[in-house]
């Protein structure tokens, strides 16, 4: 097992879970963050910015394995960052099942420069449904296009569980893991499950893709990203989403259902949730709750 592991994206949906699960293995955990943040006492926090290679020397010093989140829409700069990982022999990279151009490029660069690499290609995260929290709290109706778009949503703890195996155990080098939840659900079905879990019916109301496009553009999203999302959702209406057995094969535990994810995050969708608090991935969770397996 590596002596010390660096977790990037340490404040994010998956990185927080990777930290919590690594702590259970007894390995030394270092977290890269851009700002000072609250971390569990056993975690060494190091400041750095992945877009500023010179800021990363301390983070990579003495690190044998890295959980790599590359949170940019381009692979530019990654090669330079990989060159700084002189002592790192193992990288687990959080790619995506969509394998967009920059992700494919990042996978190639990592494959060329790291002795032991593992690529995680998750499908859509269950946590993406938190974007509906405000609409659900505000009246139990979700208004979006493509209610029949099907996804096999994956729980962030399952992605982290696979990452932790690949970081700490032998036998995962050179593997590309496509990760899904255990079931394909349409967006309308996801909304219904949330309603069942919170005990109030939640309804899907179909809107036009043109309206959704206008709204996303008004929120400042780049047109290319908006069109990419809408195109992908339109394609997802064509049939059920693929379901892989990878989470269970790697972790020996069945992938968590969307219903269990929704139950863990029910508070975000309930009317009692403070209206001024945005529903985000780290929502009202403390490190103690995450480490205890709560959220
Ligand atoms: N959402 C999905 O459905 C989905 C599906 C497949 C793959 N993915 C991939 O998952 C990745 C995102 O993972 P996530 O959802 O766990 O993360 P997240 O919750 O979106 O958080 C992003 C993380 O990246 C960090 N970060 C941002 N800019 C940084 C910089 N310049 N230097 C260092 N750290 C920086 C953030 O730190 P701060 O606290 O400093 O902002 C935060 O920890 C993306 O690459 C995405 O393509 C997502």
């Amino acid at each position: 097992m590596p002596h010390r592991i660096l977790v990037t994206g340490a404040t994010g949906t998956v990185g927080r879970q990777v930290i919590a699960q690594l702590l259970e293995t007894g390995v030394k955990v270092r977290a890269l963050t851009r700002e000072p943040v609250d971390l569990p006492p056993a975690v060494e926090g190091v400041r750095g910015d992945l877009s500023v290679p010179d800021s990363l020397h301390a983070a990579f010093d003495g690190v044998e394995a890295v959980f790599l989140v590359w949170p940019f829409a381009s692979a530019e700069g990654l090669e330079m960052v990989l060159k700084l990982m002189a002592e790192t022999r193992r990288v687990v990279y959080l790619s995506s099942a969509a394998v967009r151009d920059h992700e494919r490029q990042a996978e190639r660069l990592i494959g060329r420069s790291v002795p032991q690499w593992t690529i995680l290609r998750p499908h859509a995260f269950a946590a993406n449904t938190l974007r509906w929290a405000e609409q659900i709290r505000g009246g139990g109706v979700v208004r979006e296009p493509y209610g029949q778009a099907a996804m096999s949503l994956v729980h962030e703890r399952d992605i982290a569980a696979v990452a932790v195996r690949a970081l700490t155990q032998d036998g995962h080098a050179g593997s590309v893991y496509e990760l899904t939840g255990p079931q394909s659900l349409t967006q309308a079905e996801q909304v219904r499950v949330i309603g069942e879990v919170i005990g109030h019916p939640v309804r899907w109301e179909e809107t036009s893709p043109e309206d959704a496009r206008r709204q996303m553009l008004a929120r400042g999203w780049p047109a290319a990203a908006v069109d990419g999302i809408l195109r992908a959702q339109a394609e997802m209406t064509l049939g059920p989403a693929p379901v892989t057995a990878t989470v269970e094969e790697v972790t020996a535990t069945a992938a968590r259902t969307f219903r269990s994810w929704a139950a863990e995050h029910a508070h975000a969708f309930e009317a009692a949730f403070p209206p001024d608090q945005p529903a985000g991935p780290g929502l009202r969770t403390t490190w103690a709750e995450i480490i205890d397996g709560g959220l």
Side-chain angles (χ1 to χ4, degrees):
M1 176 149 89
H3 181 63
R4 180 178 282 109
I5 296 179
L6 177 74
V7 178
T8 66
T11 59
T13 306
V14 181
R16 284 160 64 93
Q17 302 294 338
V18 171
I19 288 180
Q21 295 184 36
L22 278 176
L23 287 176
E24 290 168 19
T25 70
V27 71
K28 287 192 177 154
V29 182
R30 182 180 287 168
L32 176 78
T33 67
R34 288 190 288 182
E35 303 293 333
V37 293
D38 179 36
L39 290 166
V43 175
E44 179 195 4
V46 175
R47 300 273 295 281
D49 187 321
L50 288 166
S51 66
V52 185
D54 274 350
S55 71
L56 298 170
H57 295 285
F60 291 133
D61 185 37
V63 159
E64 288 151 15
V66 173
F67 175 68
L68 182 63
V69 174
W70 187 254
F72 311 112
S74 149
E76 209 187 316
L78 176 58
E79 202 165 3
M80 180 69 91
V81 169
L82 290 169
K83 281 194 182 130
L84 297 173
M85 298 187 194
E87 295 162 78
T88 303
R89 53 190 171 78
R90 189 174 284 183
V91 168
V92 175
Y93 166 52
L94 183 62
S95 183
S96 116
V99 211
R100 292 164 291 184
D101 288 349
H102 68 281
E103 288 156 343
R104 192 170 297 282
Q105 215 181 328
E107 291 182 1
R108 280 204 203 108
L109 288 171
I110 292 162
R112 255 191 256 140
S113 66
V114 179
Q116 298 174 16
W117 51 266
T118 307
I119 307 293
L120 308 186
R121 290 183 180 169
H123 283 242
F125 296 178
N128 293 352
T129 62
L130 286 169
R131 75 180 186 281
W132 297 327
E134 218 173 296
Q135 292 190 70
I136 292 175
R137 290 198 306 265
V141 182
V142 173
R143 294 180 181 86
E144 273 193 18
Y146 301 122
Q148 291 313 305
M151 296 154 207
S152 42
L153 296 177
V154 56
H155 194 306
E156 56 270 17
R157 276 203 273 149
D158 284 335
I159 303 170
V162 172
V164 166
R165 299 304 190 287
L167 286 164
T168 59
Q169 298 175 357
D170 290 336
H172 301 284
S175 294
V176 177
Y177 290 137
E178 186 177 341
L179 307 175
T180 71
Q183 193 187 12
S184 169
L185 290 172
T186 66
Q187 300 204 95
E189 287 167 337
Q190 294 162 28
V191 155
R192 198 195 64 226
V193 169
I194 293 171
E196 286 166 5
V197 163
I198 63 172
H200 300 286
V202 181
R203 190 164 56 80
W204 182 273
E205 193 175 291
E206 190 78 8
T207 61
S208 74
E210 294 73 29
D211 279 352
R213 186 174 191 277
R214 265 193 299 276
Q215 282 171 17
M216 286 193 267
L217 292 177
R219 273 185 239 131
W221 291 40
V226 170
D227 292 336
I229 291 168
L230 292 173
R231 204 169 32 245
Q233 291 198 346
E235 280 167 18
M236 288 176 198
T237 61
L238 301 177
V243 170
T244 70
T246 316
V247 168
E248 184 159 5
E249 283 163 5
V250 174
T251 67
T253 306
R256 292 166 171 92
T257 61
F258 177 64
R259 187 175 292 275
S260 72
W261 180 92
E264 291 169 12
H265 295 80
H267 55 274
F269 300 103
E270 283 165 353
F273 188 85
D276 54 342
Q277 190 172 334
L283 185 74
R284 279 209 308 185
T285 54
T286 63
W287 280 105
E289 283 169 325
I290 292 175
I291 290 165
D292 291 345
L295 294 177

